[in-house]
Amino acid sequence: MNSRRFHLITGAAAAAALAFGMHHAHAQADTLKIGVILPMTGQQASTGKQIDAAIKLWMAQNGNKAGGKTVEVIVKDDAGIPDTTRRLAQELVVNDKVVALAGFGITPSALATAPIATQSKTPMVVMAAATSAITAASPYVVRTSFTLPQAAVGLAEWATKNKIGKVVTLVADYGPGNDAEKYFAERMTLNGGKVLDKLRTPLRSPDFAPVLQKVRDAAPDALFVFLPSGQGAQFMKQFGERGLDKAGIRLIATGDVTDDDQLNDMGDVALGVVSSHHYSAAHDSPANKKFVAAFEAANKFRPNFMAVGGYDGMRVIYNALNASKGARGEALLNAMKGQLFESPRGPVLIDAQTRDIVQDIYIRKVEKKNGQLWNIEFDSIKQMKDPGKSK
Ligand code: VNL
């Protein structure tokens, strides 16, 4: 009697446990997790804020289903510290079993994560970091931002055509700065120009006063600048305070400096600055107007190029999940390659060979319209591949 009852109970418990276990496994298989690592705090926090807002906008517009399953985005803050990025990536892969890693505000964070993507065969979508070599660090890297060689070469061409012969370069002293300096200086020299000096400031807490004094003394036709998103306003203020604009030294820069996130705070010193980049919030297309209006309605701030990298990164992941019917690993990666779509920035292609982005690069000038500052595009180089890949 007792033993029979015991059997009945264990039998029911076992059935319940099995049902629960199956249900649990089923729920997991039906959820596709995307692990996003961003600098939400620290010196690159504006990049995290922009990309996080863009990801939320993508989800609000496109829902949380892709590849026939439910998509869940997990956002982690690495504060722009590469050791933290690596640890978070490891946890997202091992504990959360994410189908893709994404984000990566700065190059050192992307490079720290690349070996984890390779070992775990997890596609890694770089939405911000822009050193050319990142795509070579793992066959699982796909990029939706840009590269500094892409931005720098077009500006050197513009400078030569506009009678800028003598230049000084100023870059942040790490991966993307190396790329910007090298590709800008090489093209200027090739075009018969002269690079008088190559100056650098540290990635963390830069002080622009000493380098700006050197620029003044060198008296070039123009100063070329690359600084990561978030440093432009402080730089521009010091450029004005030291009177370099009034000394007749033109400022030319990659669009990271005339960043839409800060442009309106820069004041009149920014007016007339010519830059080159893949995205301006003023880009004149129906797709961009729709994007900017929806983004501003949701956030009360203007999207910058980081937001577009994040938005398109989500699109690449969703497209790939849909095309592969919710695959993981190499099948998901392969579905990311060769994607062609219209971004708010214009038409783009994810090059199947390099996994890097092919896009139009625009030459722009800061102008005031209706009381606000904008990067107004006036020329472009169509469908530019990363020049850094040809070496
Ligand atoms: C990087 C390149 C970061 C361009 C940026 O802003 C940027 C990078 C944070 O590769 O670290 O504007």
Side-chain angles (χ1 to χ4, degrees):
M1 189 59 188
N2 265 353
S3 97
R4 207 174 140 219
R5 200 165 154 240
F6 178 78
H7 271 286
L8 276 171
I9 289 165
T10 47
L18 190 64
F20 176 79
M22 279 174 70
H23 191 249
H24 190 66
H26 196 207
Q28 268 207 341
D30 264 0
T31 304
L32 301 171
K33 293 180 185 168
I34 301 169
V36 178
I37 310 174
L38 291 170
M40 298 305 297
T41 55
Q43 293 191 8
Q44 273 74 46
S46 67
T47 291
K49 170 197 76 174
Q50 285 274 350
I51 296 178
D52 182 53
I55 291 172
K56 292 198 167 82
L57 178 63
W58 175 270
M59 302 282 293
Q61 291 176 335
N62 295 278
N64 68 342
K65 293 271 189 298
K69 295 177 182 166
T70 300
V71 174
E72 184 192 336
V73 173
I74 305 171
V75 179
K76 299 277 185 188
D77 175 17
D78 69 359
I81 299 176
D83 283 340
T84 308
T85 324
R86 185 192 295 111
R87 177 177 55 74
L88 292 171
Q90 192 79 44
E91 288 171 11
L92 286 163
V93 164
V94 174
N95 301 341
D96 298 297
K97 315 223 168 356
V98 296
V99 294
L101 291 163
F104 311 106
I106 54 171
T107 289
S109 293
L111 292 178
T113 306
I116 295 170
T118 306
Q119 283 152 25
S120 65
K121 300 191 192 309
T122 307
M124 173 178 159
V125 179
V126 175
M127 295 168 158
T131 302
S132 176
I134 291 171
T135 44
S138 166
Y140 280 84
V141 168
V142 170
R143 175 155 39 202
T144 59
S145 53
F146 73 110
T147 78
L148 267 306
Q150 260 177 345
V153 167
L155 190 61
E157 291 294 337
W158 177 87
T160 304
K161 279 187 220 138
N162 288 273
K163 303 194 170 53
I164 291 170
K166 291 180 291 173
V167 296
V168 171
T169 61
L170 167 59
V171 301
D173 192 10
Y174 75 122
N178 298 346
D179 274 2
E181 178 190 276
K182 178 167 184 275
Y183 282 83
F184 181 82
E186 269 183 17
R187 186 58 65 102
M188 284 303 292
T189 311
L190 185 76
N191 290 347
K194 211 168 162 153
V195 182
L196 303 177
D197 206 353
K198 295 177 177 175
L199 304 170
R200 294 185 174 208
T201 44
L203 169 61
R204 314 270 175 210
S205 310
D207 175 8
F208 301 116
V211 287
L212 286 172
Q213 189 53 50
K214 284 191 183 167
V215 176
R216 230 200 136 114
D217 295 343
D221 299 328
L223 170 64
F224 164 79
V225 183
F226 159 76
L227 294 169
S229 184
Q231 295 186 1
Q234 193 208 335
F235 169 79
M236 205 66 86
K237 185 164 169 272
Q238 293 201 22
F239 186 85
E241 279 171 4
R242 310 221 139 230
L244 270 81
D245 49 342
K246 291 179 190 75
I249 299 168
R250 275 198 87 154
L251 178 61
I252 58 176
T254 64
D256 313 73
V257 177
T258 56
D259 185 347
D260 273 302
D261 190 65
Q262 298 184 322
L263 188 57
N264 261 322
D265 305 329
M266 290 182 193
D268 288 355
V269 61
L271 283 173
V273 172
V274 170
S275 63
S276 60
H277 230 206
H278 55 294
Y279 180 70
S280 164
H283 178 65
D284 191 9
S285 75
N288 186 50
K289 290 207 166 85
K290 227 178 110 201
F291 171 73
V292 172
F295 190 98
E296 286 186 336
N299 299 294
K300 315 288 172 240
F301 55 87
R302 189 191 284 185
N304 72 354
F305 62 101
M306 294 301 189
V308 172
Y311 192 75
D312 286 339
M314 287 302 288
R315 185 199 316 261
V316 165
I317 296 169
Y318 265 52
N319 283 349
L321 286 171
N322 286 332
S324 68
K325 302 197 166 56
R328 308 178 65 96
E330 202 182 342
L332 182 59
L333 174 75
N334 287 339
M336 293 182 181
K337 297 177 184 175
Q339 284 188 27
L340 187 69
F341 55 85
E342 177 162 2
S343 157
R345 70 188 98 179
V348 304
L349 164 73
I350 304 299
D351 187 320
Q353 266 70 51
T354 64
R355 293 161 280 101
D356 219 331
I357 191 159
V358 180
Q359 57 192 338
D360 294 355
I361 296 294
Y362 305 88
I363 312 294
R364 314 96 50 87
K365 184 187 259 177
V366 178
E367 290 175 23
K368 198 179 259 176
K369 286 199 169 163
N370 303 324
Q372 288 196 37
L373 298 186
W374 299 95
N375 290 296
I376 303 296
E377 297 166 348
F378 63 88
D379 203 355
S380 67
I381 305 156
K382 299 282 176 219
Q383 295 302 288
M384 194 182 203
K385 287 191 173 199
D386 170 30
K389 302 282 188 288
S390 55
K391 297 271 156 86

